[in-house]
Amino acid sequence: MNRRSVLVRSAAGVMLSGALLPAHARIAELGDAIDKAGAQRMLSQRMGKAWLSQLRPELTERARAVLQASEARFERQLGELLSYAPTPEIAGSYRAMEHRFGAYRALLQSTPSPARVDDLLKASGEMLSLAQVATVQLQERSTAATARLVNLSGRQRMLSQRLALFFLANQQGARPDLVQRETAKARADFVAAMGVLTTAAEATPAIRANLELAQSQWIFLQAALAGESQGPRAASDVFLASENLLSVMETVTGQFARQLAQA
């Protein structure tokens, strides 16, 4: 059995379509707030990944569905986070995000083009930075160790999408030095965070089991990223593997968030 067959078969049990990623209710607890705040980081990168994926004919239809679902989720959660914001500083962070999202959404709704890859990377990076600031602000509202774990596990979701984003950007002519630098950083950050999460005293057996699954999906993503830099097989494998890893880390982040709510 070749590597692609193993990837597809192993991934089938965890894959979620864009429309099926979790839809949460209104924010009531800090753990939920940190989870959703962190999800904005992930969505900033997932939307960019989906926009770029539309340039691949074999991914166009799937990518369009992921982009539409991600835009809707980002906008919905932004409204919830603005309503929840417990301090003027946090509210200000989300107003800044709201302001920048308009320009980013306009780009995302434009026809994908290799000529606009640099614009896409810049805009997605700005949204990521804003989302990171706000997530840390919310995490710091709690002194519980679990609050950091919600943030950290949630950030793994973003890294899965950021790696795919830069892989696809590289296929469309992004600067090689930028791709190499950001890819290396995302990989190192993911590995370091997995070490923290898997050894955390707060990780229950159920969480550890899902972290083991995440580790297996991480291996598949690494295999896909190491494939050919051109061609439909490479793009499809990276897209699929990043979605599967995201799915598992969504579950882990939710588990830590519920644990924080019960603390």
Side-chain angles (χ1 to χ4, degrees):
M1 185 180 297
N2 61 34
R3 186 176 66 188
R4 177 173 168 80
S5 298
V6 172
L7 171 65
V8 172
R9 177 174 293 184
S10 300
V14 297
M15 185 177 182
L16 292 175
S17 72
L20 294 180
L21 280 171
H24 299 287
R26 190 172 182 85
I27 297 171
E29 302 285 349
L30 180 61
D32 189 24
I34 300 171
D35 183 358
K36 288 184 176 178
Q40 299 298 83
R41 292 177 301 202
M42 174 274 290
L43 292 166
S44 74
Q45 305 303 286
R46 190 172 188 242
M47 290 185 289
K49 178 190 80 172
W51 186 85
L52 285 169
S53 296
Q54 292 177 91
L55 289 163
R56 307 293 316 196
E58 71 281 3
L59 286 172
T60 299
E61 185 175 349
R62 187 190 308 176
R64 187 176 296 118
V66 166
L67 179 56
Q68 291 173 349
S70 297
E71 280 188 44
R73 182 178 172 188
F74 188 97
E75 187 169 18
R76 181 181 69 251
Q77 291 184 166
L78 180 54
E80 293 173 359
L81 288 160
L82 270 167
S83 296
Y84 174 82
T87 69
E89 291 76 18
I90 294 174
S93 293
Y94 283 110
R95 282 193 294 271
M97 186 183 296
E98 184 177 43
H99 175 72
R100 289 299 303 154
F101 182 51
Y104 188 31
R105 179 167 50 190
L107 172 56
L108 292 168
Q109 293 177 351
S110 69
T111 301
S113 165
R116 301 208 67 187
V117 169
D118 288 345
D119 293 337
L120 186 281
L121 293 177
K122 180 180 178 181
S124 65
E126 289 174 349
M127 292 304 301
L128 173 57
S129 295
L130 289 169
Q132 171 66 13
V133 168
T135 306
V136 172
Q137 287 174 320
L138 283 165
Q139 179 205 309
E140 291 176 346
R141 299 285 295 171
S142 173
T143 59
T146 312
R148 177 172 176 262
L149 298 175
V150 177
N151 183 0
L152 196 62
S153 58
R155 191 167 181 270
Q156 300 291 75
R157 300 175 295 188
M158 178 275 291
L159 293 170
S160 73
Q161 303 306 293
R162 189 163 176 80
L163 284 164
L165 168 65
F166 274 92
F167 180 90
L168 290 159
N170 185 54
Q171 288 192 324
Q172 301 301 330
R175 284 172 28 217
D177 61 317
L178 176 64
V179 171
Q180 183 177 9
R181 182 175 67 250
E182 294 301 324
T183 297
K185 184 178 186 306
R187 279 176 168 151
D189 287 352
F190 190 95
V191 170
M194 284 298 285
V196 173
L197 294 168
T198 55
T199 59
E202 294 79 9
T204 63
I207 291 174
R208 291 182 191 280
N210 281 316
L211 287 169
E212 288 181 9
L213 179 57
Q215 187 62 44
S216 69
Q217 296 306 315
W218 171 245
I219 292 171
F220 290 131
L221 179 56
Q222 291 306 290
L225 291 168
E228 298 177 4
S229 61
Q230 299 295 325
R233 174 172 293 185
S236 295
D237 283 355
V238 168
F239 190 99
L240 174 65
S242 67
E243 289 292 290
N244 292 335
L245 180 55
L246 167 60
S247 171
V248 181
M249 290 312 303
E250 287 271 43
T251 299
V252 172
T253 307
Q255 288 175 308
F256 277 124
R258 288 189 292 276
Q259 188 179 104
L260 179 59
Q262 297 165 2

